[in-house]
Structures are given as structure tokens and as C-alpha cells.
Amino acid sequence: MTPFASTPNFPVNRTDPFDLEILEDPHSFHAELRDAGPAVYLERHEVFGLARYEHVHAALTDWQGFQSAAGVGLSNFRYEKPWRPPSLLLETDPPHHDAPRAVLSKVLGPRALTKLRDAWFSDARCLVDQVLDSGTEFDAVTELAAPFPLRVFPDAVGISNAGRENLLPYGDHLFNAFGPSNSLVSKGAPRVAELSTWVNTQCSREALSAHGFGAQIWSAADRGDITAEQAPLVVRSLLSAGVDTTVNGLAAVLFAFATNPDQWTRLRTNPSAFARSAFDEAVRWESPVQTFFRTATRDIEVGGTVIPDGHKILIFLGSANRDPRRWERPDAFDITRDPSGHVGYGMGIHQCVGQHVARLEAEALLTALAARVATIEPVEPPTRHLNNTLRSWKSMPLRVRLG
Ligand code: OVM
């Protein structure tokens, strides 16, 4: 598998990007990769890594050279059977990608979401009132960032209330499974069959309520925009990608404000103007989805050297989002900067199709908090929940002052 017979053209790095210590705090490793060169050979997994913004952006926008259809995890679908049938969105390329993508981007588009806006704003006020009325110290992960998406999103998809506690562990395993088969994957393995059965059951037409995102996907099958075989897998993408990502994105923006009190003060001067871009800045700053792989479809040049056909390439979204070659003061959370162009949602044809949903959730929650909360501070340091792909949290004790 070594791509070069003798003299490597690439800088070589021996660190495992999925080592638990690196996952706990990846920033100095990312800087090392960026400084080593445009593409680095990651010896431990025999893959190439891209960590600079310029080359991450270029790879994400070149879907022909950097395919997704061989899987966006370390394992190559050409040689290894995937642990579940591949996603019709994430793990395909044109032409197969086009119809499912078109259906979902309409179902989750800004126009469709205007109908949910008032209900989600009122749900957010309700949850914030419930938390604040029981005290000014709370865990921002378990009391806000997790419960809010877990309430509004599965309702919007149209699944039953029973079994919703399966969504986070399913997503946790799914995002671990993009990495190597390390201890994080083994930890999730015992529940895979049970969780997959539950998720797959929720995707059938009969399991979905009449007017939700799920039912709209099935209507698209009735119209012939996708096939009836594709419909349940498109619903599965919602349940796979829509929960853990937003939970960790919301936790990230809350942590960003708790540790940058001046930014909270600024948000409160005009929440309706700042809430959306503040969330995007938090997605840049934290990159809830840290990495995805692509696969080279031919010998492909990156920064002057050639990645050989068939090799896996690890794309460091989180590193690109803090590359000082692209961003001024990259480590600063600054809601007045223009974060557009960040790759936290990816870039190109696979860019997050649910991003309007994520932004609406964030806008609703931040607006509800801004109406009641004058200051936010950490009570003690938050703890991480380690995942091979997600920058995730276990706990985040915060204290607020009302006013
Ligand atoms: C999917 C899927 C799963 C995980 C992540 C994702 C971030 C998509 O099943 O389509 O996008």
C-alpha cells in the first residue's frame, strides 16, 4: 500500500489522528500537519491528509477527482463491505447523487422551513424557561443542546416519540465508524444491530406522520422524483446526520459564548441580526464534524505532488477552519467576522443539505436565551465525549445571570 517505492515526495507524519489524546485536543496536531505541507502521508493508516484551507477546499469541490462513492470513512467500499447499506447522499456521486439530493434540498430548504420557524422559536422559549426557572446553574449539554434538537427535529421528520433515545447512540456509532476500528468503534458495536433495526423501522412510510419531512420524501417517491426503494434510505440520512451534529453545534456555540463574554454582550445588542452568523462562526471555530475521507479516482496532484489513484485522503475540516493562511486570528470566536467560506458544513455538491435546519435551531435557541440571560460563564471546565469524527461533549456546567 505504500504509494512510493523509495523516496517519498510527501512529508510523513506518524501520529494517529484518531488517537484519543489527539481527539481530546487536536489543535497543535492540526498546526503541525498544516506546516508540514499541502498534503502529508499519514503513515499509521496509509492515507494522505489535507489540513490547509486551500487544499481542503479544492478537494471538496473536485468530486470527480476526490470521490465519495468508495465511502467517506477510512474503509474503502471497493475492498470492504460497509457496516450498513451506503447513504444515497453522503456515499454517492453524480449521477446517482443528484435525485436524492434534489429531493432533500427542497424538503429542508429555506422556503419549507419558514413554516416551522414560529413553532421552533416558541419551543425554544419554552425549554429555556423550564431550565432557567429551575435555577441559574445547569448543564448546557444535557439540559439545552441535546433536548432542543431531540424535541424539534424528530417531530419535524415525523417519527414516533418512542425510541428517540436511540438517535444519539446511533449517530455516535455512525460517526465513529468513519474512522479506524479503534476502541470507540468496539464500544458501540454491541448495540449496532438493535439501533439499526430501530432506525430502519422509522424510515418506512407507515412509521412516519402525515406532513413531516419523512412523508414529503415518500411523496417525492410517489411523484417519481426518487424510487420507492430510495425513499427509506433518504429518510435514514435525516435520522443519521440531523441529530448528533446539531447537538454538538449548539453545545459549541454555547461554550463559545460562555468563554467569550464580550461576544455575548454583542449578540444581545441585536440578536436577530447576530444569531445566525454567530452560529456559523461557532461552526467554523469548533467544526462539530472534524473530518471526512475521500478517495482518489486517478493520480491526482495536490500542491505539486501526486496522490496515487485509489488512495484514501483524510480531509481535516477543523484544521482548514483555523488555518492562519485563510483566517485572521483563527482561534478567536468573533461574531463580527465574516465566517462564510468555512468548511464546517463541507463545500461543493455534498455540502450539508440540512444546514438551514441547523441554523434555524440555533437561531431559535440563541434568541430565547438572549431574551433572558445577561451573562454566561463556565462553572467548571466542560468534558468531552470522544468520537472519531465529531467534536463532541459530555457535560458543560454553566452559570447564568438573568436580566
Ligand atoms: C447519511 C449521513 C450520515 C452521516 C453524516 C452525513 C454529515 C450524512 O446517512 O446520509 O452527513
Side-chain angles (χ1 to χ4, degrees), residues 94-362:
H96 310 288
H97 175 258
D98 301 340
R101 173 75 190 201
V103 166
L104 257 199
S105 50
K106 190 147 186 220
V107 170
L108 304 178
R111 291 283 307 275
L113 295 186
T114 56
K115 297 185 197 78
L116 290 168
R117 191 179 173 87
D118 291 345
W120 285 15
F121 271 63
S122 131
D123 287 339
R125 279 194 301 271
C126 197
L127 178 63
V128 164
D129 286 347
Q130 183 193 313
V131 169
L132 297 181
D133 293 351
S134 66
T136 51
E137 278 188 28
F138 54 85
D139 189 309
V141 175
T142 59
E143 297 181 54
L144 283 177
F148 185 59
L150 279 170
R151 179 174 312 179
V152 298
F153 185 69
D155 276 351
V157 175
I159 66 170
S160 72
N161 280 309
R164 289 184 181 192
E165 69 281 2
N166 291 328
L167 287 165
L168 285 174
Y170 179 82
D172 187 47
H173 182 74
L174 165 68
F175 282 98
N176 275 328
F178 294 122
S181 326
N182 58 12
S183 62
L184 296 172
V185 174
S186 334
K187 181 195 66 178
R191 294 196 65 198
V192 170
E194 164 217 346
L195 295 171
S196 300
T197 301
W198 180 81
V199 165
N200 295 338
T201 305
Q202 308 313 307
C203 298
S204 72
R205 168 168 244 155
E206 303 71 51
L208 293 157
S209 69
H211 302 291
F213 299 149
Q216 293 171 49
I217 290 165
W218 278 99
S219 301
D222 294 338
R223 290 193 302 270
D225 295 346
I226 52 171
T227 68
E229 289 70 44
Q230 290 176 312
L233 280 170
V234 176
V235 179
R236 194 194 66 178
S237 283
L238 291 182
L239 300 179
S240 300
V243 184
D244 298 63
T245 49
T246 53
V247 168
N248 291 303
L250 293 174
V253 76
L254 295 175
F255 184 66
F257 279 120
T259 50
N260 293 273
D262 55 321
Q263 300 296 312
W264 184 252
T265 305
R266 187 165 285 139
L267 174 83
R268 286 195 91 209
T269 63
N270 194 345
S272 54
F274 282 122
R276 242 157 214 274
S277 65
F279 181 64
D280 263 63
E281 168 63 353
V283 172
R284 179 199 69 80
W285 185 73
E286 175 77 354
S287 302
V289 176
Q290 284 276 297
T291 49
F292 269 127
F293 289 83
R294 293 289 190 265
T295 309
T297 58
R298 53 185 163 79
D299 290 355
I300 191 157
E301 190 247 288
V302 174
T305 34
V306 175
I307 296 177
D309 183 16
H311 272 76
K312 283 279 175 173
I313 300 123
L314 181 50
I315 315 271
F316 289 89
L317 306 172
S319 170
N321 280 340
R322 287 182 182 228
D323 183 354
R325 295 159 190 79
R326 168 64 178 79
W327 308 98
E328 268 171 49
R329 299 194 311 129
D331 299 330
F333 172 71
D334 176 359
I335 68 169
T336 64
R337 86 160 79 225
D338 176 8
S340 59
H342 78 75
V343 293
Y345 293 117
M347 193 54 73
I349 65 165
H350 291 285
Q351 191 182 43
C352 179
V353 74
Q355 58 185 280
H356 307 288
V357 179
R359 288 199 190 98
L360 184 59
E361 288 179 15

Side-chain angles (χ1 to χ4, degrees), residues 359-393:
R359 288 199 190 98
L360 184 59
E361 288 179 15
E363 213 185 334
L365 193 61
L366 290 175
T367 303
L369 280 169
R372 293 196 58 189
V373 169
T375 64
I376 312 178
E377 60 182 341
V379 179
E380 48 184 290
T383 57
R384 290 284 174 180
H385 172 84
L386 299 186
N387 182 283
N388 281 334
T389 302
L390 297 170
R391 192 112 176 91
S392 181
W393 313 78

